[in-house]
Amino acid sequence: MATGIADSAAGAPAGQNVLGDALKDAFFAGLITLGLIGPLVGFQTVAIDTGAGSVLGLAYRPVTVAIMVGIVFIGRLILNLTIWSPNRVAKTRSGPTVFDRIGTAAGPAVKPLLLAFAIGFPFLATLMMGGMTQARYLLDVGILILTYVMLGWGLNIVVGLAGLLDLGYVAFYAVGAYTYALLATSEPVTHFFGGLLGETFWANWAFWICLPVAGLFAGLWGMILGFPVLRLRGDYLAIVTLAFGEIIRLVLINWVDFTGGGAGIASIPRATFFGIPFTAGEDGFAARFGLEFSPMHRIIFLYFVILALALITAFATVRLRKLPVGRAWEALREDEIACRSLGINTTNVKLSAFATGAMFGGFAGCFFAVRAGFVSPESFTFDISAMILAIVVLGGMGSQIGVAVAAAVMMGGMEALRNLDFLKQVFGQDFDPALYRMLIFGFAMVSIMVWKPRGLVSTREPTIFLKERKAVSGDLVKEGHG
Amino acid sequence: MATSPLSAATHRWEADPILTVEHLFMRFGGLVAVNDLSFNVGRGDITALIGPNGAGKTTVFNCITGFYKPSEGRLALAHNRAPTPDELATVTAIGERALVGTDAAVYLLERMPDYRVSGEAKVARTFQNIRLFTGMTVLENLMVAQHNALMTASGFSLKGLFGLPGWNSAARAATEKAKFWLEKVELLDRADDPAGDLPYGAQRRLEIARAMCSDPILLCLDEPAAGLNPRESLELNTLLRMIRAEHGTSILLIEHDMSVVMEISDHVVVLDYGTKIADGTPEAVRNDPRVIAAYLGVDEDAVEEVEAEIDEIEAQSGATS
């Protein structure tokens, strides 16, 4: 900033200077581009047909390189002369941005609208696609998004509220999923309930019994992770949690006797309508409720199960924030030493944050297992942790609605980018749009981080107020340090 | 010196100490930050701990509030009445961190982690560089300070999660208490603003209010007047006097602002290079040549001269009494 001011002071009388500087800067940008693009794009390996068979050869693409370097040069020049021009008076931004103001104005209406949309989504999708079966893809995407909304809300407790950077959240997702998969398919457990309550009892009720168990078990693992990392902060905490996620996955792969190893666990009992299976038979859901059988009933039911689970997560988080434990989480994020000076046992506060976050991850994992009917360690890689963390950061740490929107944008956006077939019209039939999915996605992420570095919702809602609830600006809210 | 044997019994810090610091040492590697320090804090007194920069005042504070583990020494905090030497010897010998009776309790602060010092022994503190929860509102800051009481009232979150009775009334009582203290520090109309938005002086007052919300019996203030203008310093004096008079909270403060120290304190302890060089009433300390030497800074010959003078005076007073 300071150099910018100095430049404009010196360069203002002589306009030539500005143009010269801009040209020089653009030239160097072009040079860097040439260095980078030259080897990467300039050479292409091609198969040369020699008659006796093809050999690998090199083709040169100087024109493409020249075009790219030209784009960077001209683009940089235009930017230097317009937006980055030292003569340009910078607009000072003070107070809330336009987005914030829109957010504040629309705030009260957004939540009920989103909720109504989420509840009505299966019906909308069915109407729109002209039938339940045709709406399957949309519903699957909806379920995927809601799973990530729930995971985002769960991780939000650890990262957003307590300010503890957890890169191994997928571990709890895995613990939840494997808890259900192992319990539901376990011979002794099936036998025990079979002898006690009838043959079909366990198959019909396994999910509903295992759901709380999976949550509690994941919460327990959250505490187990919490203990060794209590003294760690920042990068060190992140690395250990990352390792924890990998350890769980590696144990799942290598403990073949117990977990089935890389092959995973298949034929996990499916979800039932509180004991009534979604089958075509007489005892099935459709027959009992006088409907025509459709496999889509189960999918729609699953949609509502994950919606309910996600809403429970949101409700619990909102309530916990207003309780002393939730305030202690946020206080821990703000200043750990001040917490201890007020008699708060920060060990317990950290453990409770880890355990609560992990518990919701466990619920989501249990749901994942029942939806897919199959679990394997492949589903619990670091990518998932990174994705959930990206959702939390993008949504705005600590914000419920921001995380929900971020999950919808990220997961929905990823799906939408699979369907970029219209690009084939522009670039020709050889163009494969799916390959550009990650590029577009990464670009979108970078732009959002440039424009909204504190996430979509950067303000913090106070948990209590005397006269009026004033949102706290993100600049004052700390991000935590481990 | 300042205190003759006759007047000793009249000093509260000797008759009824709330905190007894005995032979406190704090070593960081080869550096001895606090060297064999002993002093008392009287119940209901405002005690000032003063000394030049780097004298070890904040280190003493960190030892008292549990943020540092002292290398050696005993820090006995007494609830209700001073412990008898027997009680003190017992609790020291049995290796417990506290001896809690029906009418009184004694806590050995050097054996307690920081959060227990504030939570159980009821010693609250503020910090030299203000440590507020800047992203939380003023009211929230005061609610966090009541964490332990509210945690019990919310049934460790279970009662609160399901909105059971008991929790709501406790939450209301906590808000009332917060309002009470906000009124005392004149921040009631800023209750819903983020703490980080307050001006510096108000942040200092809020930090004191927050400490008071944890119901301390001993309030430790680390340079409460630093960065305040003269008017704000005066208001601080009034606030501290009020806290002592209406709540019976004893106050221990580190301060460089002599107008505050001399104005409000009943007892002044002076540190230099980690050793106590004076201990007494403000008047006595003000006229102590060693304090003057430490504060004004004199060259080594002068120090020797002063010390010789002191020895002479002491010899004389010893001869006369």
Side-chain angles (χ1 to χ4, degrees):
Chain A
M1 217 53 234
T3 53
I5 292 163
D7 281 354
S8 69
Q16 198 64 35
N17 211 356
V18 175
L19 184 65
D21 284 348
L23 274 171
K24 206 163 90 183
D25 179 75
F27 174 74
F28 281 115
L31 212 59
I32 291 168
T33 315
L34 184 67
L36 281 173
I37 295 285
L40 286 174
V41 178
F43 307 109
Q44 189 181 24
T45 49
V46 288
I48 300 170
D49 198 6
T50 52
S54 56
V55 293
L56 205 58
L58 266 184
Y60 303 98
R61 300 198 289 185
V63 181
T64 322
V65 172
I67 290 173
M68 285 181 166
V69 172
I71 289 173
V72 169
F73 176 77
I74 291 168
R76 185 92 187 176
L77 190 62
I78 291 171
L79 280 173
N80 276 339
L81 293 176
T82 56
I83 296 174
W84 295 339
S85 163
N87 292 339
R88 188 166 171 268
V89 181
K91 261 192 281 178
T92 48
R93 265 201 294 175
S94 62
T97 61
V98 182
F99 290 109
D100 290 340
R101 259 178 273 148
I102 292 172
T104 320
V110 165
K111 283 175 197 174
L113 273 178
L114 279 180
L115 181 62
F117 177 74
I119 293 171
F121 178 73
F123 309 107
L124 278 177
T126 309
L127 282 179
M128 211 169 81
M129 305 305 289
M132 280 198 282
T133 321
Q134 290 87 331
R136 164 103 200 213
Y137 173 68
L138 278 182
L139 279 172
D140 279 343
V141 173
I143 290 172
L144 180 76
I145 290 175
L146 282 177
T147 311
Y148 276 86
V149 168
M150 180 170 179
L151 287 168
W153 280 342
L155 184 62
N156 197 18
I157 293 174
V158 186
V159 179
L161 295 184
L164 304 162
L165 185 52
D166 184 353
L167 288 180
Y169 193 61
V170 76
F172 309 120
Y173 191 44
V175 167
Y178 268 83
T179 304
Y180 174 59
L182 288 170
L183 281 177
T185 56
S186 140
E187 274 296 322
V189 175
T190 317
H191 231 75
F192 173 74
F193 281 109
L196 219 63
L197 295 156
E199 281 298 310
T200 56
F201 175 80
W202 186 243
N204 287 348
W205 282 96
F207 174 65
W208 296 106
I209 293 169
C210 290
L211 184 63
V213 176
L216 290 177
F217 206 63
L220 183 71
W221 276 96
M223 296 248 248
I224 292 173
L225 164 68
F227 268 110
V229 303
L230 277 173
R231 299 164 64 90
L232 304 178
R233 300 167 137 242
D235 307 349
Y236 302 96
L237 175 74
I239 289 168
V240 175
T241 51
L242 172 75
F244 183 77
E246 287 301 290
I247 287 169
I248 294 271
R249 192 173 65 84
L250 290 173
V251 167
L252 292 178
I253 290 177
N254 289 298
W255 195 358
V256 180
D257 296 342
F258 184 58
T259 64
I265 299 170
S267 57
I268 301 168
R270 295 190 151 177
T272 59
F273 186 81
F274 305 107
I276 305 168
F278 290 94
T279 49
E282 236 168 65
D283 286 342
F285 172 80
R288 291 266 192 103
F289 286 84
L291 300 168
E292 198 183 325
F293 173 75
S294 160
M296 286 305 293
H297 288 157
R298 189 177 65 87
I299 306 292
I300 294 176
F301 180 66
L302 281 176
Y303 177 87
F304 283 113
V305 169
I306 187 64
L307 180 61
L309 284 174
L311 289 178
I312 288 171
T313 311
F315 177 77
T317 312
V318 168
R319 283 237 41 130
L320 282 171
R321 271 193 73 205
K322 297 182 186 198
L323 290 175
V325 66
R327 291 213 189 96
W329 290 338
E330 293 201 75
L332 180 75
R333 176 194 65 203
E334 296 288 323
D335 196 324
E336 184 174 344
I337 288 176
C339 273
R340 291 197 307 226
S341 84
L342 296 169
I344 297 174
N345 183 344
T346 47
T347 305
N348 290 351
V349 173
K350 283 184 187 176
L351 286 182
S352 67
F354 269 120
T356 315
M359 184 179 74
F360 291 120
F363 287 142
C366 184
F367 175 82
F368 171 81
V370 82
R371 180 185 73 103
F374 168 74
V375 291
S376 81
E378 283 294 291
S379 314
F380 307 107
T381 53
F382 172 67
D383 298 19
I384 312 282
S385 288
M387 186 62 102
I388 305 166
L389 189 66
I391 287 172
V392 172
V393 173
L394 191 65
M397 299 208 289
S399 158
Q400 299 278 316
I401 199 81
V403 169
V405 171
V409 169
M410 298 262 291
M411 303 315 295
M414 290 284 263
E415 282 302 315
L417 289 175
R418 283 185 205 278
N419 309 317
L420 290 174
D421 283 344
F422 68 92
L423 285 180
K424 282 192 179 171
Q425 316 285 300
V426 184
F427 293 101
Q429 286 303 311
D430 293 342
F431 184 79
D432 186 358
L435 293 179
Y436 289 81
R437 196 163 66 106
M438 281 302 181
L439 184 71
I440 296 172
F441 188 72
F443 188 71
M445 287 278 288
V446 170
S447 353
I448 288 177
M449 285 295 117
V450 168
W451 282 314
K452 303 241 9 150
R454 295 298 299 251
L456 295 174
V457 179
S458 54
T459 55
R460 175 183 168 271
E461 282 283 302
T463 59
I464 189 172
F465 62 98
L466 280 187
K467 291 186 200 76
E468 66 171 312
R469 193 185 290 276
K470 296 180 196 163
V472 179
S473 155
D475 303 335
L476 294 169
V477 180
K478 300 216 171 66
E479 284 149 2
H481 28 231
Chain B
M1 284 248 315
T3 53
S4 70
L6 195 70
S7 66
T10 61
H11 289 310
R12 215 166 2 186
W13 64 86
E14 278 160 9
D16 182 17
I18 188 169
L19 174 71
T20 322
V21 176
E22 290 163 280
H23 304 291
L24 180 69
F25 283 88
M26 186 71 213
R27 301 187 191 91
F28 297 103
L31 177 81
V32 184
V34 180
N35 189 3
D36 197 11
L37 174 69
S38 302
F39 67 92
N40 288 350
V41 176
R43 190 179 306 279
D45 271 353
I46 294 180
T47 309
L49 190 58
I50 64 170
N53 288 333
K57 304 181 296 291
T58 301
T59 309
V60 172
F61 251 48
N62 283 338
C63 289
I64 293 173
T65 50
F67 282 84
Y68 289 165
K69 281 262 159 288
S71 312
E72 272 177 54
R74 180 164 68 184
L75 304 158
L77 182 96
H79 284 208
N80 289 334
R81 62 167 173 81
T84 61
D86 275 354
E87 285 170 338
L88 210 51
T90 313
V91 68
T92 311
I94 58 176
E96 292 289 325
R97 60 171 174 259
L99 187 70
V100 182
T102 46
D103 63 327
V106 56
Y107 294 87
L108 296 185
L109 302 183
E110 78 278 9
R111 294 181 181 173
M112 301 170 80
D114 42 20
Y115 69 91
R116 281 191 199 278
V117 170
S118 41
E120 288 172 20
K122 295 290 176 196
V123 178
R125 75 169 290 179
T126 65
F127 296 87
Q128 195 171 350
N129 44 344
I130 307 173
R131 284 184 174 274
L132 287 171
F133 306 122
T134 52
M136 303 174 87
T137 65
V138 169
L139 182 61
E140 282 178 308
N141 268 272
L142 300 192
M143 297 300 278
V144 172
Q146 304 175 54
H147 177 83
N148 286 331
L150 283 176
M151 206 63 187
T152 320
S154 74
F156 296 92
S157 304
L158 287 176
K159 264 189 191 167
L161 203 53
F162 299 106
L164 296 182
W167 157 245
N168 285 336
S169 58
R172 261 196 306 278
T175 319
E176 283 308 312
K177 189 185 198 176
K179 271 166 83 175
F180 171 83
W181 279 108
L182 284 178
E183 209 158 4
K184 290 290 177 203
V185 296
E186 290 162 21
L187 285 172
L188 192 55
D189 49 342
R190 302 216 58 178
D192 298 324
D193 288 331
D197 266 355
L198 296 181
Y200 191 82
Q203 293 199 4
R204 285 255 174 235
R205 295 205 303 277
L206 177 59
E207 208 186 14
I208 294 173
R210 187 180 67 178
M212 285 310 293
C213 270
S214 65
D215 287 327
I217 65 159
L218 176 64
L219 178 64
C220 299
L221 305 172
D222 199 344
E223 299 201 22
L228 300 189
N229 63 34
R231 194 177 55 81
E232 287 172 326
S233 280
L234 273 180
E235 285 170 2
L236 176 75
N237 290 355
T238 322
L239 176 67
L240 295 185
R241 282 211 188 91
M242 188 282 291
I243 287 174
R244 195 246 310 253
E246 291 182 21
H247 297 270
T249 307
S250 315
I251 296 173
L252 174 64
L253 56 91
I254 292 177
E255 192 48 74
H256 283 298
D257 186 339
M258 283 305 144
S259 72
V260 174
V261 172
M262 294 303 163
E263 182 82 0
I264 64 168
S265 48
D266 308 297
H267 175 197
V268 179
V269 178
V270 192
L271 285 189
D272 194 18
Y273 296 110
T275 338
K276 185 169 83 174
I277 56 169
D279 182 347
T281 58
E283 293 74 35
V285 164
R286 196 195 334 234
N287 300 321
D288 192 311
R290 262 191 277 216
V291 176
I292 296 166
Y295 263 87
L296 298 182
V298 285
D299 41 83
E300 281 188 29
D301 300 349
V303 172
E304 275 164 24
E305 249 171 62
V306 168
E307 275 173 358
E309 250 175 68
I310 292 164
D311 290 343
E312 212 171 288
I313 296 167
E314 275 175 353
Q316 281 175 5
S317 66
T320 51
S321 62

